[in-house]
């Protein structure tokens, strides 16, 4: 419980001071720890297991509706999702401590099409190295945490998209477009 309160304090005080989008980089995790598994329901009651996404790059975003940087980054996360979803990249937004009745009105102002998962008891967030909200982890196809981002990001920024795409296995990357009929 003490760790959760510390994380909330950091997210309320330190993370907003850094400014939205400040430091658009991701922190590489060395060595890459195994991502803690989970089974969480989405807003429609469907259960999502992190292991269901093995073989894909997964962004696991821990957030809450009361968190200003979380709200600011959501539209860019949706834009990134639209660019990445056909490339074996998944985004899972794990809401910490809130219920559907709190989250539903939020999605009216910040519509997203990627899964929003419910960690109402905060059991999952306690198993991950979360330092404040939002904290996002980029999990590689082998299920290891490759990168961590503490604080809001512009997830559709070209540099971030390039870093995320670099984790896609070569055999799953889209083929480069070919030029046919050129010079004829």
């Amino acid at each position: 419980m003490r760790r959760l309160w510390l994380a909330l304090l950091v997210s309320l005080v330190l993370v907003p001071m850094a400014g939205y989008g400040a430091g658009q980089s991701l922190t590489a995790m060395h060595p890459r720890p195994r991502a803690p598994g989970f089974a969480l329901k989405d807003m429609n009651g469907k259960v999502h297991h992190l292991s269901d996404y093995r073989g894909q790059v997964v962004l696991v975003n821990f957030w809450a509706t009361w968190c200003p940087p979380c709200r600011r980054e959501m539209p860019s996360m949706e834009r990134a999702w639209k660019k990445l979803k056909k490339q074996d990249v998944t985004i899972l937004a794990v809401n910490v401590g809130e219920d559907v009745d709190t989250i539903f009105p939020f999605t009216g102002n910040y519509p997203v099409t990627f899964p929003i998962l419910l960690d109402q008891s905060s059991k999952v967030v306690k198993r991950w190295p979360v330092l404040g909200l939002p904290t996002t982890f980029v999990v590689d196809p082998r299920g290891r945490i490759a990168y961590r981002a503490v604080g809001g990001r512009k997830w559709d920024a070209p540099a971030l998209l390039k870093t995320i795409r670099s984790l896609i296995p070569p055999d799953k990357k889209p083929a480069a477009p070919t030029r046919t009929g050129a010079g004829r």
Side-chain angles (χ1 to χ4, degrees), residues 43 63 65 74 100 102-112 114 116:
M43 301 263 300
W63 70 285
T65 62
M74 236 4 123
V100 173
T102 302
I103 301 166
F104 186 75
F106 172 87
T107 61
N109 294 322
Y110 300 91
V112 297
F114 50 83
I116 294 177

Side-chain angles (χ1 to χ4, degrees), residues 162-179:
K162 182 179 179 182
T163 300
I164 293 164
R165 285 180 176 127
S166 74
L167 295 173
I168 299 170
D171 61 323
K172 295 196 177 186
K173 289 185 181 182
T178 57
R179 294 176 55 175

Side-chain angles (χ1 to χ4, degrees), residues 67-101:
C67 163
C70 301
R71 290 192 303 266
R72 285 191 297 268
E73 79 174 351
M74 236 4 123
S76 72
M77 196 167 279
E78 175 66 13
R79 291 189 301 270
W81 169 242
K82 288 179 179 177
K83 293 178 181 184
L84 296 169
K85 66 183 176 181
K86 292 183 180 175
Q87 300 176 22
D88 269 348
V89 178
T90 297
I91 297 177
L92 302 173
V94 179
N95 179 276
V96 179
E98 297 177 307
D99 60 20
V100 173
D101 292 335

